[in-house]
Amino acid sequence: MRGMQSSQFRQGLAGVFALCVVGCSSAHEVATSVPKARGREVPCAAPDAAARVLSNEPVVRALPSAVDLRDELTRLGLPPRAQGARGTCSIFTTCEAFEFALAKKRGVAQRLSPEFLNWSASQAAGAPSDGNFFHNALAGFERFGICGEDALPYGASYDAALTPSAEALARAAALLVESRDALSLRWIVPWQAARFGVDEAQFAEIKSVLARGFPVAAGSGHSRLLVGYRDDANAAGGGVFLTEDSALARFDEVTYEFVRTQVADVFWIEAR
């Protein structure tokens, strides 16, 4: 299910994450040697390059033609997991984004509980639901955190009456505290009703984030974690994105054309 974005949600998450909606005014800005995000500027290493930036002359750094995070995910112990017959793709995608960022920060991976995040998303939405939008999953995390899979294992079927144990809630709260100094939520494409597809600046930023070594959560009719890309003139739109797909329980691919036309909202979690 697709994620959603609202002004209330942005305000709520600001207290937990160093919330930063990353935006670029043009596709070439994403690929400059002095990458920019709202509220901060990364210093340039070369004085002559800095002088050119100050004079508004872009310093273009081409992105690699291919990026593949699948081996790193596997090495970390974070291969694809199966959502089974339940409609929890956005829950799994959100969990996967958190798992990778935490592993980058800690140096060791932890499997998080989609069942707990599914419950907390329902709490945030105000009604029980098996599967939810990105914004409810993230708002649920902002309220409760998330525990490890061992504290609340994923069930084969949905139990609307499920309530996490006191131990699971305590572990989730502890991870929430840890995340305040460790993780940042960054939106590339906030959700808007009846809007699908990304513009060229957003498309370039998706590739730029992947080139930096972080996966990207993409919402559509079915949510997926983008874990790489490959330029390919023979593929629709000029290439393919590699995906981690919980419905298929394996890595897969979608075309550049699919992302340009069908994706509704996009975010990633940065390890700071």
Side-chain angles (χ1 to χ4, degrees), residues 24 31 165:
C24 295
S165 67

Side-chain angles (χ1 to χ4, degrees), residues 112-125:
L112 301 178
S113 171
E115 198 71 74
F116 187 98
L117 191 63
N118 197 49
W119 168 82
S120 67
S122 292
Q123 298 301 304

Side-chain angles (χ1 to χ4, degrees), residues 65 230-241 253-257 260:
S65 61
R230 182 179 68 253
D231 295 342
D232 181 351
N234 295 318
V240 297
F241 283 100
E253 297 180 352
V254 295
T255 65
Y256 284 1
E257 180 178 335
R260 283 192 171 103

Side-chain angles (χ1 to χ4, degrees), residues 31-221:
T32 61
S33 62
V34 186
K36 294 181 180 179
R38 287 183 189 171
R40 67 183 180 125
E41 180 171 341
V42 179
C44 182
D48 60 332
R52 279 180 283 168
V53 171
L54 291 173
S55 65
N56 293 322
E57 180 183 344
V59 182
V60 176
R61 176 173 56 83
L63 292 171
S65 61
V67 171
D68 190 343
L69 302 179
R70 292 175 296 182
D71 285 348
E72 184 172 8
L73 282 158
T74 302
R75 178 185 61 80
L76 288 170
L78 298 174
R81 287 195 284 176
Q83 69 186 62
R86 299 170 59 181
T88 50
C89 56
S90 289
I91 297 295
F92 270 78
T93 298
T94 304
C95 269
E96 291 156 3
F98 275 116
E99 287 173 342
F100 188 89
L102 281 169
K104 294 282 276 191
K105 183 67 176 180
R106 295 169 167 174
V108 62
Q110 178 186 10
R111 278 300 195 188
L112 301 178
S113 171
E115 198 71 74
F116 187 98
L117 191 63
N118 197 49
W119 168 82
S120 67
S122 292
Q123 298 301 304
S129 175
D130 194 23
N132 226 303
F133 299 115
F134 279 158
H135 101 278
N136 285 332
L138 292 165
F141 177 87
E142 188 267 337
R143 285 179 59 184
F144 298 100
I146 188 170
C147 64
E149 171 71 11
D150 58 338
L152 187 56
Y154 186 69
S157 59
Y158 177 56
D159 179 4
L162 178 145
T163 300
S165 67
E167 180 182 358
L169 288 166
R171 291 189 187 181
L175 194 146
L176 178 60
V177 171
E178 178 187 355
S179 73
R180 289 176 176 146
D181 294 323
L183 307 179
S184 293
L185 166 65
R186 301 191 182 277
W187 284 97
I188 297 174
V189 186
W191 183 86
Q192 294 180 20
R195 194 279 316 275
F196 291 91
V198 304
D199 62 31
E200 287 306 307
Q202 293 162 340
F203 184 86
E205 188 164 358
I206 292 170
K207 293 180 72 175
S208 180
V209 170
L210 289 165
R212 288 180 56 191
F214 288 93
V216 176
S220 185

